[in-house]
Amino acid sequence: MRINYIYTFFAGFLLFISCAKPVSQNTSYQRTGMVNYLTYTKSELTVTSEHAAENVGKAISYAEINALENILFRGIPGSPSEAPLISDEIEAVKNHKQILNTFIFETGCKEYVTKSETISRERQGTLTFVKQKVTFDLNGIRKFLEKNNIVKRFGL
Amino acid sequence: MELENSLKKIILLNDSDSKKMTKYNMQIKQFAKGFFLITILLSSFSGSAQEKKPAATQNAQPTIMVIPFTPAGQDLRANFESNELLRVAITKVKEAFDQRGVNTIDFRAKLKQLSNAEALQSDQKTSIKDDVIAISGADVYIEVEANPNYSSTGNSVTIIMSAYDAFSGESYANKVSNSAKFYTTNYEKLVEKSVATEVPNLLSTIQEKFDDIQVNGRTITIRVGIDEKSKLKMDSEVDKEGNYLGDIIEDYVRDNSFKNKYHLQGVSDTKITFDLVKVPLKDASDNPFRLSRFASDFRRFLRTKEIQCSQVLVGNSLVFTLN
């Protein structure tokens, strides 16, 4: 009898835990194609990038990384950077995984983003969506990639 | 006696010391061995953990010359000197390349050099372009055309840029760029805007072509014809095995083209034309591939079949005449 009470209490407790709202939901970064060309002046490329995360800071960071990844691996349609800076993503990541990871997720946005401002932000449920206007020093990025032999210099 | 005893003590002490010393030596040796092994292990681990950095790719930096587009029948120099918008466009395109770190050759300087040398007369309209390109030593030349557009909703400019291989005349890239419309007559600014947005894409396309050349080789054309006085025909048997002349020529081209890539455009009784034969960028000794060497080898091959021929080499075209 007593054991039955314990089992019932334990089952109820489990049910309560499973129904409880999570305190924090960690969203992981995923590349999207939501990067659009805005302007280009003297090798400075400005794009808008959209992303979401559980807080504003993280969403902005994700939006900047997303823009950088699109410039590196996909190219921005209708811009002077239509072709990606790195033509073969798989090969580049295979040969320079550590450098590229550090560049994309740590140093790249710090060193080569010359301007970043939030155009809009919206809270939907547990996530904050941001639209970020980001300006990159395209020549600087290209030189970094050339210096680390990730891309070749212009030539045969 | 005392002396003897003291000597014995000293000897005993020395013995024990030497034993201790050998013990220490052994321990030190063992420690050194261990340290050595650990160092090797650590260095091997750190070596594998570090990313293998590929060797720096040493690629040749081509030189680019930006020239004005000149319609047939017009004088290149006159066109350049009379068209201000074109001059601005050429300067802006050159500037854009310079900013990107590409080696450029100044068209105006080369034009002056040509005038100073008095190598040309002004009535030689059609050859000026070829001569400028030839004396410039440029690997790639870019023809620029600039046209202003006037409208009630604003003015704009259209820039057409076409890149060619100076050696073969092969097209590398073409880009058309339209500036936005502004209520302005400051065409210099419009040209600058128009050029700035399209030059990076032009360079990317040229680079893609370069990469393709590295993988698939350069394109040349070969034409083999038979002299009027010769009794030879493309279906003449030229060796003991009874092979036709046309067949041995095709076999030679197939065996000596880069990755066996070639295209036979057509064969007639007196002519065989290959409109695409791929040759490598560098020869077996890693020197730039010489087309004259290819021509000489082909001529020598024909001599083994007791066929004499003359050769003409123009740009990327080889023309052989069999006697």
Side-chain angles (χ1 to χ4, degrees), chain A residues 60 64 115-120 131-135:
Chain A
I60 290 171
E64 288 174 352
K115 206 175 174 187
S116 181
E117 58 179 285
T118 309
I119 298 172
S120 66
K131 188 175 185 181
Q132 197 73 8
K133 183 178 163 186
V134 199
T135 304

Side-chain angles (χ1 to χ4, degrees), chain B residues 225-227 230-232 307-310 321-323:
Chain B
I226 296 169
D227 192 82
S230 176
K231 287 177 184 172
L232 278 171
I307 300 167
Q308 299 292 320
C309 79
S310 59
T321 309
L322 310 185
N323 301 310

Side-chain angles (χ1 to χ4, degrees), chain B residues 57 131 134 153 217:
Chain B
T57 43
D131 288 335
T153 52

Side-chain angles (χ1 to χ4, degrees), chain A residues 116-131:
Chain A
S116 181
E117 58 179 285
T118 309
I119 298 172
S120 66
R121 71 168 86 159
E122 196 185 340
R123 186 90 188 161
Q124 281 182 14
T126 56
L127 294 174
T128 302
F129 289 79
V130 296
K131 188 175 185 181

Side-chain angles (χ1 to χ4, degrees), chain B residues 299-311:
Chain B
R299 197 167 39 79
R300 276 198 289 271
F301 163 74
L302 289 175
R303 197 184 284 171
T304 61
K305 307 284 179 188
E306 294 174 355
I307 300 167
Q308 299 292 320
C309 79
S310 59
Q311 67 183 56

Side-chain angles (χ1 to χ4, degrees), chain B residues 12 16 19 28 52 84 127 153 190 209 227 275 277 293 302 305:
Chain B
L12 279 169
S16 64
K19 274 176 188 170
I28 287 165
K52 279 179 188 170
E84 193 189 340
S127 65
T153 52
L190 294 177
K209 287 276 177 165
D227 192 82
D275 59 350
V277 178
R293 174 64 63 85
L302 289 175
K305 307 284 179 188

Side-chain angles (χ1 to χ4, degrees), chain A residues 3-22:
Chain A
I3 290 167
N4 278 345
Y5 276 129
I6 291 168
Y7 276 133
T8 315
F9 175 75
F10 191 65
F13 180 70
L14 282 176
L15 196 72
F16 174 75
I17 288 173
S18 63
C19 292
K21 196 179 168 183

